[in-house]
């Protein structure tokens, strides 16, 4: 495990800063400077292999997570639109969210299907809301 982190750190230092980790033993690089460089690497989500080795969720940047969230919301919106305009006999599958790095594997059990109100229940609900 430590060997993996060492290799990732060495690769990142060379890629981003053009610094060889062996320079510590050559007397050209201080431990403090390595700490500063590692701190900088920890702020490079989606780019730093060291950070991705430490935490899988770092493989995506914040904008990647936001795009996945937008995609999930769009899929849900389309599903709800189709469900509202489909006949009762149409069986539509609930959309699966975009898998994100570091998320646990989905279980083999089917996801619970949401229960939707019938048309009459919706009419009754809005009728009661109108009479308030």
């Amino acid at each position: 495990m430590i060997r993996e982190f060492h290799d990732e750190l060495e690769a990142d230092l060379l890629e981003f800063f053009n610094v060889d980790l062996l320079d510590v033993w050559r007397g050209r690089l201080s431990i403090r400077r390595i700490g500063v460089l590692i701190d900088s690497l920890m702020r490079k989500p989606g780019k730093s292999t060291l950070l991705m080795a430490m935490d899988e969720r770092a493989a995506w940047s914040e904008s990647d997570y936001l795009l996945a969230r937008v995609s999930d919301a769009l899929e849900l919106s389309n599903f709800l639109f189709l469900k509202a305009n489909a006949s009762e006999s149409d069986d539509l599958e609930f959309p699966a969210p975009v898998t994100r790095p570091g998320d646990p594997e989905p279980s083999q059990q089917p996801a619970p299907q949401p229960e939707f109100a019938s048309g009459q229940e919706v009419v009754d609900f809005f009728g009661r809301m109108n009479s308030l």
Side-chain angles (χ1 to χ4, degrees):
M1 183 83 161
I2 291 177
R3 182 69 184 166
E4 291 175 24
F5 289 142
H6 175 270
D7 293 342
E8 302 299 339
L9 174 62
E10 192 169 24
D12 280 350
L13 288 175
L14 276 172
E15 179 181 350
F16 291 108
F17 307 112
N18 201 22
V19 171
D20 188 3
L21 195 56
L22 292 176
D23 284 347
V24 172
W25 288 270
R26 295 177 187 137
R28 290 183 243 157
L29 186 64
S30 69
I31 299 296
R32 181 186 176 284
R33 179 71 177 145
I34 290 177
V36 169
L37 295 175
I38 289 173
D39 189 44
S40 176
L41 285 174
M42 300 302 272
R43 294 191 180 103
K44 294 183 180 296
K47 297 176 185 168
S48 169
T49 54
L50 172 67
L51 188 56
M52 285 188 275
M54 293 173 65
D55 185 5
E56 290 178 8
R57 295 174 294 170
W60 281 12
S61 66
E62 185 177 344
S63 60
D64 293 333
Y65 279 102
L66 289 173
L67 283 172
R69 205 168 154 196
V70 167
S71 174
D72 290 344
L74 186 60
E75 287 288 327
L76 180 61
S77 175
N78 288 338
F79 170 76
L80 293 174
F81 176 79
L82 291 172
K83 190 72 171 176
N85 292 307
S87 66
E88 299 264 341
S89 62
D90 289 343
D91 188 29
L92 299 173
E93 274 190 46
F94 195 77
V98 173
T99 54
R100 286 138 172 96
D103 281 354
E105 293 295 321
S107 63
Q108 299 300 333
Q109 299 173 356
Q113 293 295 322
E115 295 180 23
F116 294 98
S118 68
Q120 188 58 45
E121 290 173 326
V122 172
V123 168
D124 292 341
F125 172 76
F126 283 113
R128 284 187 306 230
M129 294 302 288
N130 241 356
S131 64
L132 292 179

